[in-house]
Structures are given as structure tokens and as C-alpha cells.
Amino acid sequence: ANATKLFWLLSLALTILSTFGGSAIACILLGRPVSIISNDAVIVASTLGWYLTNYCPGDVVYKALSVKPIRAVLDVFAELFRVVGVFSYTKLAFKTLLPTAKYYESPILGVIIVGTISGSGGSFWPLSKGLTPIEKVGRSRGGGRGGGRRWGRWWRQRRQQRRSSSGSRSHSFRCRLDL
């Protein structure tokens, strides 16, 4: 209906990066070869799926994939693909970072970061537009859907309760929230 027509190569690149962006970032963080480049079947299958979805005559493939039961099955498989990716990259991060663990028997934080990025990193591509939600949260006074306003309201109420219960403030600094 109101879709923006992109140059075909840009559309293909964005599709591949948004699909495999998380695993690409995870591989880069771990110093491993990126699966987009190292496995030719990934590029061929992604390009074929992109072409059939966007350029099939009469939009037959797009219309077939838009039917609710088919869409539901595809969404389940997409999330299973994501779960397998998160699990495999978490396991890979554990094996890669295990020799470098100095303070604990096993690495913790690096494994969590790599697993999280592998599951959601594709939503940050392209980096010029993918990070704008984070910038908006930083510029606005809180998170999405009024979360910051609710937090600010709670904090102000809590502060008033403390002042009224203690009578006077025992600390000299002033906590200021611009909400």
C-alpha cells in the first residue's frame, strides 16, 4: 500500500543483513568467519527467497506467504531458527572465551552479550537507522510507551513519601530528574 520502492541491490543487502546480522556481529566479536560470507548456500537461498518474494509475477509468493495459517507456521520456524542461533552462538562463545576466563571457572558476561546480540543483532542493521530507537530513548525522557514517565512518577512519589516520613532530609545532595 504505502511501501517505499528501494533499489534492488539495497533491498537485497538490507534483507540479508537484517536476517543474518546478529550472527554476523556475533562472529565478528568472537573472531570467527561470518556465515554470510563463508557459506555460499546462505547467499543463494537468501537471494532466491528475496527474489521470489519481491519479483514473482502477480505477487503469488507474497500473497501465499501472507495467508494467516502459513504466516503463523513461518513465524514459528523463524523463531525456532532464532533460538537455534542463540543457542549455537552462546555455545560457541563459551568455547571461545573459556581459555580467557581469569576470575571465574567459566565466562559469564561475554557469553550473555554474544547470545543476546546473535538473537537480536539483525534489528540494528543498517547501523545508520537501526540505532535510532536507542537515540530516541536517550533524547526522550524515558523508554517507549510511557515507561520513563511511569518511572519518573513512581520516583517522585517515593521521594515525597520519604520526605514526609522522615521529617527532614538527612543527606545534602539533591536528586533531580528532568521528567
Side-chain angles (χ1 to χ4, degrees):
N2 196 10
T4 305
K5 185 73 174 166
L6 295 175
F7 179 61
W8 70 270
L9 188 58
L10 176 63
S11 173
L12 176 63
L14 288 176
T15 301
I16 291 174
L17 283 177
S18 65
T19 305
F20 298 101
S23 63
I25 295 172
C27 285
I28 291 169
L29 287 175
L30 295 173
R32 302 286 180 150
V34 179
S35 63
I36 301 171
I37 298 169
S38 63
N39 189 355
D40 294 335
V42 169
I43 295 292
V44 172
S46 298
T47 304
L48 181 64
W50 170 84
Y51 183 78
L52 289 175
T53 304
N54 291 308
Y55 291 104
C56 187
D59 284 339
V60 176
V61 174
Y62 178 77
K63 289 177 184 175
L65 295 177
S66 297
V67 176
K68 288 209 183 238
I70 296 173
R71 186 76 213 166
V73 169
L74 289 176
D75 286 343
V76 167
F77 282 123
E79 294 308 317
L80 286 174
F81 178 74
R82 183 188 313 235
V83 167
V84 169
V86 169
F87 179 74
S88 63
Y89 280 102
T90 303
K91 189 175 173 183
L92 180 66
F94 180 77
K95 288 180 182 177
T96 304
L97 298 174
L98 185 60
T100 63
K102 293 181 182 179
Y103 303 109
Y104 298 104
E105 292 180 9
S106 62
I108 298 171
L109 190 61
V111 174
I112 292 172
I113 290 172
V114 169
T116 303
I117 288 175
S118 69
S120 63
S123 38
F124 293 120
W125 292 95
L127 292 176
S128 62
K129 294 183 181 178
L131 298 177
T132 53
I134 296 172
E135 291 175 3
K136 287 180 184 177
V137 168
R139 278 185 270 150
S140 69
R141 296 177 184 137
R145 298 186 184 191
R149 289 188 293 274
R150 282 191 298 261
W151 169 256
R153 193 176 319 124
W154 175 84
W155 183 256
R156 283 191 296 272
Q157 289 171 355
R158 177 91 171 138
R159 205 170 50 190
Q160 288 173 356
Q161 288 173 355
R162 277 196 213 139
R163 286 181 185 165
S164 63
S165 66
S166 64
S168 65
R169 292 174 45 184
S170 60
H171 52 278
S172 61
F173 66 90
R174 181 178 182 125
C175 183
R176 181 171 178 240
L177 293 174
D178 295 323
L179 297 176

